[in-house]
Coordinates of all heavy atoms in Angstrom, one line a residue:
D795 N 46.4 -7.5 9.9 CA 45.4 -7.9 8.9 C 44.0 -8.2 9.5 O 43.0 -7.9 8.9 CB 45.9 -9.0 8.1 CG 47.1 -8.7 7.2 OD1 47.2 -7.5 6.9 OD2 47.9 -9.6 6.9
C796 N 44.0 -8.8 10.7 CA 42.7 -9.2 11.2 C 42.8 -9.3 12.8 O 43.5 -10.1 13.3 CB 42.2 -10.5 10.7 SG 40.5 -10.9 11.2
V797 N 42.1 -8.4 13.4 CA 42.0 -8.3 14.9 C 40.5 -8.2 15.2 O 39.8 -7.6 14.5 CB 42.8 -7.1 15.5 CG1 42.4 -6.9 16.9 CG2 44.3 -7.3 15.3
T798 N 40.1 -8.9 16.3 CA 38.7 -8.8 16.7 C 38.7 -7.9 17.9 O 39.4 -8.1 18.9 CB 38.1 -10.2 17.1 OG1 38.1 -11.0 15.8 CG2 36.7 -10.1 17.6
L799 N 37.8 -6.9 17.9 CA 37.6 -6.0 19.0 C 36.2 -6.1 19.5 O 35.3 -6.3 18.8 CB 37.8 -4.5 18.5 CG 39.1 -4.2 17.7 CD1 39.1 -2.8 17.2 CD2 40.4 -4.4 18.6
F800 N 36.1 -5.8 20.8 CA 34.8 -5.6 21.4 C 34.8 -4.5 22.4 O 35.8 -4.2 23.1 CB 34.2 -6.9 21.9 CG 34.7 -7.4 23.2 CD1 34.4 -6.9 24.5 CD2 35.5 -8.6 23.2 CE1 34.8 -7.4 25.7 CE2 36.0 -9.1 24.4 CZ 35.6 -8.5 25.6
F801 N 33.7 -3.7 22.4 CA 33.5 -2.6 23.3 C 32.3 -3.0 24.2 O 31.4 -3.7 23.8 CB 33.1 -1.3 22.5 CG 34.3 -0.6 21.9 CD1 34.8 -1.0 20.7 CD2 34.8 0.5 22.5 CE1 35.8 -0.4 20.1 CE2 35.9 1.2 21.9 CZ 36.4 0.7 20.7
T802 N 32.4 -2.5 25.4 CA 31.2 -2.7 26.3 C 30.9 -1.3 26.9 O 31.8 -0.4 27.0 CB 31.5 -3.6 27.5 OG1 32.3 -2.9 28.5 CG2 32.3 -4.8 27.1
D803 N 29.6 -1.0 27.1 CA 29.2 0.2 27.9 C 28.0 -0.2 28.7 O 27.4 -1.2 28.6 CB 29.0 1.4 27.0 CG 27.8 1.3 26.1 OD1 27.0 0.4 26.2 OD2 27.6 2.2 25.2
I804 N 27.6 0.8 29.6 CA 26.5 0.6 30.4 C 25.3 1.3 29.8 O 25.3 2.5 29.5 CB 26.7 1.1 31.9 CG1 27.9 0.4 32.5 CG2 25.5 1.1 32.7 CD1 28.3 1.0 33.8
Y805 N 24.2 0.5 29.6 CA 23.0 1.0 28.9 C 22.4 2.2 29.8 O 22.3 2.0 31.0 CB 22.0 -0.1 28.7 CG 20.7 0.3 28.0 CD1 20.8 0.7 26.7 CD2 19.5 0.3 28.7 CE1 19.6 1.1 26.0 CE2 18.3 0.7 28.0 CZ 18.4 1.1 26.7 OH 17.3 1.4 26.0
E806 N 22.1 3.3 29.1 CA 21.5 4.5 29.8 C 22.4 5.0 30.9 O 21.9 5.4 32.0 CB 20.1 4.2 30.3 CG 19.1 3.9 29.1 CD 17.7 3.8 29.5 OE1 17.4 3.4 30.7 OE2 16.8 4.1 28.7
F807 N 23.7 5.0 30.7 CA 24.6 5.5 31.7 C 24.4 6.9 32.1 O 24.6 7.3 33.3 CB 26.1 5.2 31.2 CG 27.1 5.6 32.2 CD1 27.3 4.8 33.4 CD2 28.0 6.6 32.0 CE1 28.3 5.0 34.3 CE2 29.0 6.9 33.0 CZ 29.1 6.1 34.1
K808 N 24.1 7.8 31.1 CA 23.9 9.2 31.4 C 22.7 9.4 32.4 O 22.8 10.2 33.4 CB 23.6 10.0 30.2 CG 24.8 10.1 29.3 CD 24.5 10.9 28.0 CE 25.8 11.1 27.2 NZ 25.5 11.9 25.9
K809 N 21.7 8.6 32.3 CA 20.6 8.7 33.2 C 21.0 8.2 34.6 O 20.6 8.8 35.6 CB 19.4 7.8 32.7 CG 18.7 8.4 31.5 CD 17.5 7.5 31.1 CE 16.8 8.0 29.9 NZ 15.6 7.2 29.5
L810 N 21.8 7.2 34.6 CA 22.3 6.7 35.9 C 23.2 7.7 36.6 O 23.0 8.0 37.8 CB 23.2 5.4 35.7 CG 23.7 4.7 36.9 CD1 22.6 4.0 37.6 CD2 24.7 3.6 36.5
V811 N 24.1 8.4 35.9 CA 24.9 9.4 36.5 C 24.1 10.6 37.0 O 24.5 11.2 38.0 CB 25.9 9.9 35.4 CG1 26.7 11.2 35.9 CG2 26.9 8.8 35.0
A812 N 23.0 10.9 36.4 CA 22.2 12.0 36.8 C 21.4 11.7 38.1 O 21.0 12.7 38.7 CB 21.2 12.4 35.7
S813 N 21.3 10.5 38.4 CA 20.5 10.1 39.6 C 21.2 9.4 40.7 O 20.6 9.1 41.8 CB 19.3 9.3 39.1 OG 19.7 8.1 38.4
V814 N 22.5 9.1 40.5 CA 23.3 8.4 41.6 C 24.5 9.3 42.0 O 25.1 10.0 41.2 CB 23.7 7.0 41.0 CG1 24.6 6.3 42.0 CG2 22.5 6.2 40.7
N815 N 24.8 9.2 43.3 CA 25.9 10.0 43.8 C 27.2 9.6 43.0 O 27.5 8.4 42.7 CB 26.1 9.6 45.3 CG 27.2 10.4 45.9 OD1 28.4 10.2 45.6 ND2 26.8 11.2 46.9
P816 N 28.0 10.6 42.6 CA 29.2 10.4 41.8 C 30.2 9.4 42.5 O 30.8 8.6 41.8 CB 29.9 11.8 41.7 CG 28.7 12.7 41.9 CD 27.8 12.1 42.8
V817 N 30.3 9.4 43.8 CA 31.2 8.5 44.5 C 30.7 7.1 44.3 O 31.5 6.1 44.1 CB 31.2 8.8 46.0 CG1 32.0 7.7 46.7 CG2 31.9 10.2 46.2
K818 N 29.4 6.9 44.3 CA 28.8 5.6 44.0 C 29.0 5.1 42.6 O 29.2 3.9 42.3 CB 27.3 5.6 44.4 CG 27.0 5.7 45.9 CD 27.6 4.5 46.6 CE 27.2 4.5 48.1 NZ 27.8 3.3 48.8
I819 N 29.0 6.1 41.7 CA 29.3 5.7 40.3 C 30.7 5.2 40.1 O 31.0 4.2 39.5 CB 29.1 7.0 39.3 CG1 27.6 7.4 39.3 CG2 29.6 6.7 37.9 CD1 26.7 6.4 38.6
L820 N 31.7 5.9 40.8 CA 33.0 5.4 40.7 C 33.2 4.1 41.4 O 33.9 3.2 40.9 CB 33.9 6.4 41.5 CG 34.1 7.8 40.8 CD1 34.9 8.8 41.6 CD2 34.9 7.6 39.4
E821 N 32.5 3.9 42.5 CA 32.5 2.6 43.1 C 31.9 1.5 42.2 O 32.5 0.4 42.1 CB 31.6 2.6 44.4 CG 31.6 1.4 45.3 CD 30.8 1.5 46.5 OE1 30.7 2.6 47.1 OE2 30.2 0.5 46.9
L822 N 30.9 1.8 41.5 CA 30.3 0.8 40.5 C 31.3 0.5 39.5 O 31.5 -0.7 39.2 CB 29.0 1.5 39.9 CG 28.5 0.7 38.6 CD1 27.9 -0.6 39.0 CD2 27.5 1.6 37.9

């Protein structure tokens, strides 16, 4: 009947992925 949910994400993640090495993204 009532559950509280929260989501998190990284702001401007797509821009980060475009400019940082993929291995470093996984490390992050």
Side-chain angles (χ1 to χ4, degrees):
D795 293 332
C796 187
V797 169
T798 295
L799 307 176
F800 73 77
F801 282 80
T802 79
D803 70 8
I804 297 173
Y805 183 66
E806 295 187 334
F807 184 68
K808 290 182 179 179
K809 291 183 180 179
L810 184 70
V811 169
S813 55
V814 175
N815 184 290
V817 174
K818 290 297 183 181
I819 293 293
L820 291 173
E821 185 179 326
L822 167 68

